[in-house]
Amino acid sequence: MKFTTRDLQARLAALGFHPGPIDGLHGARTNAALNDAMADRVVMRPEALFHSSGLHRIHWHWTGGAYGEIQLELDHYNALIDQDGTEVAGTFPTEAQARYHPGLAASHTLNANTGAIGLAVDCMAGACERPFRAGRYPMTRAQLDGLVRATARLCRQYDIPVSRWSTLSHAEIQPTLGIPQRAKWDICWFPGMDRPGDPVEVGDRIRAMVRGLL
């Protein structure tokens, strides 16, 4: 299994060995963090810092659709969370993401699908970030709880730490991992909020919920 320098940097940060900026450049700080992590985990190769499946991140989304799964949504995410919080399997299993190829795995995040599981709450059709309106199909509390449960289960299964660099929303991909996206604001709002917030701060709140289950 091959991992990019950016994947390695994000994994190191998720494990608590900060490599400096997540920029895809293997410099001195990245190398020092790598050496510390391998010594701590008693491994000889950088690849051994990852789960054997090759999966190392979870990306949170909303579909931007109405309640009720459609084939397009099932094709784009590894799992959907429906209106009552039930997890619905997507077309492609999670482990298809380890060797991502369009048409053979879920294409959920621009240029960031390899090794990343895509979870989506099925909601937010007609929503608008500014001025904010949640639309006729807002995220429900049951959906948020379902997203948290699914994340916790996958973190246990694939040794994915709960961190800003490994469990994060689509809106966090660009500011945290430095991978440009197309003005995505999922998930900057969930039930109980008056308006969308800073994506990383909102992500921190969801991560705290996941840690509460773990």
Side-chain angles (χ1 to χ4, degrees):
M1 194 76 64
K2 293 184 177 180
F3 302 96
T4 67
T5 297
R6 195 180 303 270
D7 288 338
L8 177 61
Q9 290 172 329
R11 181 67 173 180
L12 289 169
L15 293 172
F17 301 91
H18 295 282
I22 311 299
D23 56 10
L25 302 176
H26 195 132
R29 292 176 68 180
T30 295
N31 201 53
L34 174 60
N35 289 335
D36 288 345
M38 289 196 300
D40 181 76
R41 287 211 158 190
V42 195
V43 299
M44 301 299 294
R45 299 175 298 108
E47 294 82 2
L49 295 172
F50 294 80
H51 190 267
S52 60
S53 68
L55 300 175
H56 49 95
R57 288 199 308 270
I58 299 170
H59 297 175
W60 301 317
H61 305 261
W62 56 47
T63 63
Y67 303 140
E69 301 79 22
I70 61 173
Q71 191 61 49
L72 181 66
E73 295 167 344
L74 294 169
D75 289 346
H76 275 80
Y77 305 101
N78 299 110
L80 299 172
I81 311 299
D82 70 13
Q83 184 181 4
D84 66 3
T86 301
E87 183 178 345
V88 179
T91 302
F92 302 104
T94 54
E95 295 195 8
Q97 302 306 122
R99 292 177 175 82
Y100 170 78
H101 190 279
L104 298 178
S107 298
H108 55 83
T109 307
L110 183 64
N111 296 325
N113 294 294
T114 302
I117 302 167
L119 295 180
V121 284
D122 192 21
C123 58
M124 301 300 282
C128 180
E129 183 178 12
R130 296 185 184 88
F132 175 64
R133 62 174 183 274
R136 295 174 55 196
Y137 305 94
M139 186 192 307
T140 65
R141 181 68 202 198
Q143 285 180 312
L144 176 60
D145 292 343
L147 181 69
V148 168
R149 287 194 304 272
T151 300
R153 174 180 57 78
L154 292 166
C155 285
R156 291 191 197 99
Q157 184 173 354
Y158 295 111
D159 185 28
I160 297 175
V162 181
S163 80
R164 290 181 175 182
W165 304 274
S166 51
T167 52
L168 66 167
S169 73
H170 199 171
E172 294 180 270
I173 297 295
Q174 184 165 324
T176 299
L177 300 182
I179 303 171
Q181 300 297 302
R182 294 170 179 161
K184 297 297 184 178
W185 64 292
D186 55 323
I187 296 172
C188 291
W189 174 89
F190 56 71
M193 296 177 63
D194 294 332
R195 62 184 66 85
D198 175 81
V200 177
E201 291 178 1
V202 175
D204 283 344
R205 293 174 65 182
I206 299 174
R207 283 183 282 274
M209 297 176 199
V210 177
R211 290 189 188 98
L213 284 184
L214 293 172

